[in-house]
Amino acid sequence: MSRNVDILVVGLGPAGASAAREAARAGASVLAVDRKRAAGEPVQCAEFVPWLIGQVVEGVAPVAVQPIEAMHTFVESAAFDRTDGFTGTMIDRDRFDALLVDQAREAGADCRFDTVWDDGFAVAAQLIIGADGPRSGVRAATGLPQPRLIETRQIAVPLLDWNRATDIFLSSGIEGGYAWLFPKGDAANLGVGLAPAARRQLKPVLETLRERLMAEGRIGGAILGHTGGAIPVEGIAGPVAALPDGTPVLLAGDAAGLTNPVTGAGIPAAVMSGGLAGEAAGRWIAGAADALDYYAEEIEDLFGASLRRAVQRRRDLERAFAESVPQPADLRRGWIAYPEYWAPDQAAPPNAMGAL
């Protein structure tokens, strides 16, 4: 492949597809590439999005599976605490990603899969948007350090106890992270994320929770699928950078560190940052010299305060695990459903934190 374009987008997940769509709508010539063979495959998230995603993404309804009305948080073996502010929708993530790619193509972007971007990629672009995930090659090419990552493991299971709440499990046995059960009709996503030092415990921790939920009659014994992924936990990177040759780079989504370090929530941040990156890139191509600085300011305004809080809460929680056995009060302070998380100042409403 050898060609010249205004904007090269690397990655066609929610961030990259949204960036490609908005840049093309702005009149720029856009090539978007992804190493995957198809949009959204494999699925690497728990597939919950908050209600506000419908305000950001056109046509979410076709990929919706079921509504979510609340969050249930289990701290150790205690009965769950119900939080009603966490409403949203469970989606089919592969169909969601495909929908966004279709929108980008309809806007005029050339979207190609099974295509790897590297130093030998023979495409000249005036600007590059890096939306290629937590281990971003574009980010690395700018000289920015790669972030510390936590690892997750998830299985799909039959759901016997149908409900409209996301279940969160906090425990001293789940080091520096949490476990979840997210319903999708007659099935559910059951997963766990752990601090880097405890990643070898992912499988046994998940199996222990699976056995508990089977004994409670909540899930069936079959395992319908496996997945997993990495989550950056150090906050915003960039989001404006450059390659060694001076080519400007905008980072979006996981590549920019916008995933919440506590919850792993990343879909809305990816969609919003990708759309803003595409708009800024289009404006810059059209001659707006301040467009890239404006993008950096928008990212800070939208995500800066909440991500700094989440980074600090994660550090506090990991310190509690390192120093002793964390108590329920430590676990609650580290989770967004509890007032302790938001003390002493109130940052953003809970539902603004996004989705897994």
Side-chain angles (χ1 to χ4, degrees):
M1 185 187 300
S2 178
R3 58 187 289 191
N4 296 327
V5 295
D6 293 330
I7 299 167
L8 172 65
V9 179
V10 182
L12 274 167
S18 298
R21 180 192 66 213
E22 296 307 318
R25 286 177 176 174
S29 61
V30 180
L31 172 64
V33 299
D34 197 300
R35 66 174 60 244
K36 295 178 180 178
R37 294 190 176 184
E41 298 178 5
V43 173
Q44 292 179 296
C45 76
E47 300 181 288
F48 168 74
V49 295
W51 68 268
L52 59 78
I53 197 71
Q55 310 298 316
V56 178
V57 180
E58 304 151 17
V60 171
V63 303
V65 177
Q66 75 159 77
I68 296 295
E69 298 174 350
M71 176 185 289
H72 294 166
T73 305
F74 297 78
V75 179
E76 299 295 5
S77 59
F80 67 79
D81 297 311
R82 178 183 173 98
T83 309
D84 290 323
F86 292 88
T87 58
T89 305
M90 291 296 295
I91 63 169
D92 279 335
R93 174 64 190 272
D94 52 349
R95 294 170 56 209
F96 178 75
D97 283 21
L99 169 70
L100 295 179
V101 171
D102 287 345
Q103 292 174 1
R105 285 176 168 149
E106 289 169 3
D110 181 1
C111 300
R112 302 192 181 192
F113 289 89
D114 204 15
T115 302
V116 179
W117 178 82
D118 56 25
D119 292 338
F121 193 67
V123 171
Q126 295 185 55
L127 182 147
I128 295 175
I129 297 176
D132 49 339
R135 296 185 175 92
S136 171
V138 175
R139 173 174 169 158
T142 69
L144 288 170
Q146 289 299 295
R148 192 168 69 102
L149 304 173
I150 67 169
E151 300 293 334
T152 68
R153 183 180 180 92
Q154 178 176 280
I155 56 177
V157 295
L159 185 63
L160 307 181
D161 180 25
W162 190 88
N163 67 81
R164 293 193 176 189
T166 54
D167 288 349
I168 302 298
F169 303 90
L170 308 177
S171 171
S172 61
I174 304 175
E175 183 174 343
Y178 75 99
W180 62 86
L181 180 71
F182 285 7
K184 285 186 66 178
D186 58 1
N189 292 326
L190 177 64
V192 63
L194 297 176
R199 62 182 179 274
R200 292 183 179 177
Q201 295 300 310
L202 279 169
K203 185 175 180 179
V205 169
L206 183 58
E207 181 60 22
T208 297
L209 180 58
R210 185 174 82 95
E211 291 175 356
R212 167 186 162 182
L213 296 176
M214 289 171 55
E216 293 174 357
R218 300 191 59 192
I219 65 172
I223 295 179
L224 308 176
H226 295 83
T227 190
I231 298 171
V233 293
E234 294 181 338
I236 298 174
V240 178
L243 296 182
D245 65 4
T247 302
V249 170
L250 300 182
L251 298 173
D254 283 359
L258 301 183
T259 304
N260 186 286
V262 167
T263 67
I267 298 174
V271 171
M272 287 187 276
S273 64
L276 289 170
E279 291 173 4
R283 290 182 59 241
W284 186 81
I285 291 294
D290 63 344
L292 306 191
D293 290 337
Y294 182 76
Y295 173 66
E297 292 170 3
E298 285 286 280
I299 293 301
E300 170 59 30
D301 290 345
L302 281 171
F303 306 110
S306 63
L307 287 177
R308 281 190 292 274
R309 180 184 295 276
V311 168
Q312 186 59 52
R313 292 295 184 261
R314 165 160 286 283
R315 289 173 180 167
D316 293 343
L317 184 62
E318 291 185 0
R319 187 179 306 113
F321 273 93
E323 293 176 351
S324 63
V325 177
Q327 300 302 302
D330 299 313
L331 301 174
R332 286 192 290 268
R333 181 171 171 76
W335 186 248
I336 60 173
Y338 294 102
E340 297 93 323
Y341 180 94
W342 304 99
D345 58 325
Q346 298 296 315
N351 209 43
M353 290 300 96
L356 286 159

